Amino acid sequence: MSYDRFIPRSKPQMFLQPKLDSNYQELLYNIQAPSDNVFSQIQQICEQRKIGDIRQIPTAPERILDAPELADDFYLNILDWGQNNILAVGLTNRLYLWDVQTSKMIQYQYNQCVNSVHWLSKQQIALGVGNEIKILDIVKNTEIISQQYHQNRVSALTSSFELLTSSGRDCVIHNRDLRQNKMVNSFVKHTQEVCGLKWNPSGSTLSSGANDNQLLLWDRRQMELRTSLLGHTAAVKAMSWCPWTSSTLASGGGSHDRSLKLWNVETGCLVKQIDTGSQVCALEYLPRYRELLTSHGFSQFQVQLWKADQLQPIQELKGHKSRVLHMSVSPDQSMLCTAAGDETLVFWRLGTELPNPTPQSDSFQQKNLLIR
């Protein structure tokens, strides 16, 4: 079977160097929450649904793209679908930004591997490149920040309002205030590589998972460890906060665990768990349908759709030949992109598309870099 190429054969471009003498208040982004228009549209569609209507989910992929040299590394986080409908993918030492609506691409090359990507806003993206943190403005085509405060590779990134949180192989979690461009504090508890980081929607609690089998909750106000959620017996990378129940956190365990767990973070108690039969590599909630998605490793390499509250399986999606390491959902939750060690990106149809509430950035569309 032949696949479309995800990687263009054009030469990579480089961002402009950081303006170290510039005013960071002018350079740094204005934190943007997901658009209220998107959520109102989702709510309206849900309310308009007729009782008894059944959503048909195709079991076959809608599109498969060839992604050469995609690292078969469980601990990295190299895929993120932004609210701007631009898919960011890190492949070895290059970052690829693909405008899903126009199929236009830009790529950037670095001296070290891109180990993590995370959209901060529709205009700016954070990268873990080697042991450096970089923040890029895709509209101004400028590298805003390039700083090194980790001792080893940065494999996990997340953000909440003004805070950028990072960690990786040095096991230290750093919190940086982007408005003032200074370190706020660091969390030290993990003993092996941190591969999962997620702030809850309100920004009050950070969850972290690592290769030491620990799942920890950190309090933002006190800036200290809140509790340890005990029960996983393998690395914890997959985690996601429930958008409609603020006290619920879902997590998945690695190859020697294989469990999917729901936690009540207020009490620290395990609410429900299920043995998925394989390594849980990634996890995403779908608030539009009140569902949960998980991606898996050996031996089925499947994506599983669940009823979120009951953890009842709905549908299984198969299209990869290696463990499905990364997963990201489109802004309107109509599409899913998965990335695997078989060096492919697979796109799955989850539902109908919602109208795009805001036009794409003109400066990105004007770049004539087409997928080949």
Side-chain angles (χ1 to χ4, degrees), residues 16-305:
L16 300 178
Q17 293 300 314
K19 299 179 181 179
L20 299 179
D21 58 346
S22 298
N23 187 336
Y24 276 99
Q25 290 287 63
E26 296 179 0
L27 286 175
L28 291 179
Y29 65 97
N30 182 15
I31 303 293
Q32 298 180 14
S35 171
D36 293 336
N37 292 336
V38 174
F39 288 119
S40 63
Q41 290 172 5
I42 290 174
Q43 183 179 11
Q44 183 178 5
I45 286 180
C46 291
E47 291 174 352
Q48 290 176 350
R49 246 193 207 167
K50 295 180 180 179
I51 298 176
D53 284 354
I54 298 177
R55 171 167 126 261
Q56 298 295 325
I57 304 174
T59 57
E62 184 159 305
R63 188 174 190 182
I64 301 177
L65 297 180
D66 180 25
E69 298 185 290
L70 193 152
D72 188 9
D73 190 329
F74 175 79
Y75 303 99
L76 304 185
N77 292 274
I78 56 173
L79 180 71
D80 195 19
W81 201 327
Q83 290 296 315
N84 51 13
N85 207 23
I86 296 175
L87 188 71
V89 185
L91 299 179
T92 60
N93 65 333
R94 299 190 182 196
L95 169 70
Y96 296 89
L97 300 178
W98 182 44
D99 189 319
V100 178
Q101 185 175 343
T102 65
S103 291
K104 294 182 179 180
M105 171 91 76
I106 18 179
Q107 59 169 313
Y108 301 95
Q109 186 173 354
Y110 299 95
N111 294 326
Q112 300 182 75
C113 288
V114 178
N115 301 312
S116 52
V117 298
H118 173 69
W119 284 102
L120 298 170
S121 68
K122 291 183 177 181
Q123 184 172 336
Q124 298 187 347
I125 187 170
L127 310 176
V129 181
N131 63 341
E132 293 182 86
I133 303 291
K134 296 180 182 291
I135 296 180
L136 316 176
D137 188 312
I138 67 168
V139 174
K140 297 178 181 179
N141 195 36
T142 303
E143 185 178 282
I144 297 175
I145 290 179
S146 179
Q147 295 180 335
Q148 179 178 328
Y149 42 88
H150 284 280
Q151 300 302 310
N152 213 315
R153 71 177 187 180
V154 180
S155 47
L157 293 166
T158 189
S159 61
S160 175
F161 302 99
E162 78 282 0
L163 281 186
L164 173 62
T165 303
S166 61
S167 192
R169 191 171 279 174
D170 63 5
C171 310
V172 181
I173 301 172
H174 290 303
N175 296 298
R176 191 170 194 86
D177 189 325
L178 294 177
R179 297 173 304 181
Q180 303 179 30
N181 188 36
K182 69 176 185 179
M183 190 74 68
V184 177
N185 73 335
S186 301
F187 297 145
V188 181
K189 177 67 174 177
H190 289 291
T191 59
Q192 295 188 44
E193 182 167 11
V194 176
C195 49
L197 289 173
K198 285 288 176 66
W199 282 101
N200 68 345
S202 68
S204 63
T205 307
L206 172 72
S207 60
S208 65
N211 196 37
D212 56 11
N213 307 348
Q214 292 191 88
L215 177 58
L216 306 180
L217 300 181
W218 305 88
D219 186 271
R220 178 171 184 162
R221 178 170 295 182
Q222 301 298 325
M223 282 298 180
E224 62 183 15
L225 181 64
R226 176 176 161 185
T227 188
S228 299
L229 302 178
L230 304 177
H232 282 294
T233 57
V236 185
K237 175 190 175 186
M239 61 184 69
S240 186
W241 292 88
C242 180
W244 59 87
T245 305
S246 60
S247 61
T248 299
L249 172 69
S251 63
S255 56
H256 295 293
D257 182 311
R258 305 177 301 182
S259 68
L260 173 60
K261 301 180 187 292
L262 297 182
W263 305 89
N264 184 322
V265 298
E266 299 296 334
T267 64
C269 294
L270 180 64
V271 176
K272 193 175 184 64
Q273 67 175 328
I274 188 169
D275 185 350
T276 66
S278 59
Q279 177 187 47
V280 184
C281 301
L283 194 156
E284 290 267 4
Y285 271 101
L286 294 176
R288 179 177 173 182
Y289 304 108
R290 296 181 74 91
E291 294 169 352
L292 186 65
L293 278 165
T294 55
S295 68
H296 298 269
F298 184 81
S299 61
Q300 298 297 315
F301 313 129
Q302 81 276 26
V303 175
Q304 181 67 57
L305 187 64

